Amino acid sequence: AAPGFATTLAVARGKPRRAGHEDWVTDVLAPAWRVQGVQETALPAESARWWGTRRAVEFAAAIPDATVLYQLVASVRREECRWCGLELIGDRCAFCSAAVPRAEPPGPRAAALAPPVRAALTSR
């Protein structure tokens, strides 16, 4: 299903497997999501190593309107992850993937893990 708000799409194409094969992002996905613009960009150099092939298409959708993005972020729950200690937005931590418990206090393991993880992340 399409997002409920306007998006733009960034697309990076690798070496095509066969002619037109990589066009599904712009020919199928973009119209289905009703994107307001498609921006072509170069495939990152690391993509071939990451995916194990140069025949890849990477894409990312973004909300170009900062006011809509602000309203979306401001309307969701924000709290500290009970496992890694980072701030999370929504129901799952983007860093460690821990689910946010409903009305549960942080466990003792979370307190033990949070400072070293936080220190490791800030020392980089």
Side-chain angles (χ1 to χ4, degrees):
F5 37 83
T7 58
T8 59
L9 199 62
V11 180
R13 301 169 199 268
K15 181 181 175 183
R17 186 175 355 179
R18 57 182 189 258
H21 181 72
E22 73 281 359
D23 293 337
W24 67 270
V25 174
T26 52
D27 293 349
V28 177
L29 182 65
W33 278 10
R34 299 181 308 275
V35 299
Q36 293 184 334
V38 176
Q39 178 182 352
E40 295 279 342
T41 188
L43 193 66
E46 302 82 27
S47 292
R49 184 179 58 80
W50 175 262
W51 297 114
T53 182
R54 290 179 302 173
R55 296 178 174 137
V57 177
E58 295 184 8
F59 64 92
I63 302 169
D65 186 345
T67 57
V68 172
L69 183 59
Y70 176 79
Q71 288 173 349
L72 288 170
V73 171
S75 69
V76 295
R77 179 169 78 184
R78 297 173 71 152
E79 58 187 80
E80 187 174 289
C81 176
R82 65 187 178 121
W83 292 108
C84 68
L86 296 176
E87 181 184 30
L88 58 88
I89 299 173
D91 295 331
R92 188 165 293 276
C93 180
F95 179 72
C96 72
S97 198
V100 178
R102 301 280 182 201
E104 239 185 334
R109 183 171 177 209
L113 289 177
V117 172
R118 186 178 299 123
L121 291 174
T122 57
S123 67
R124 290 184 184 188

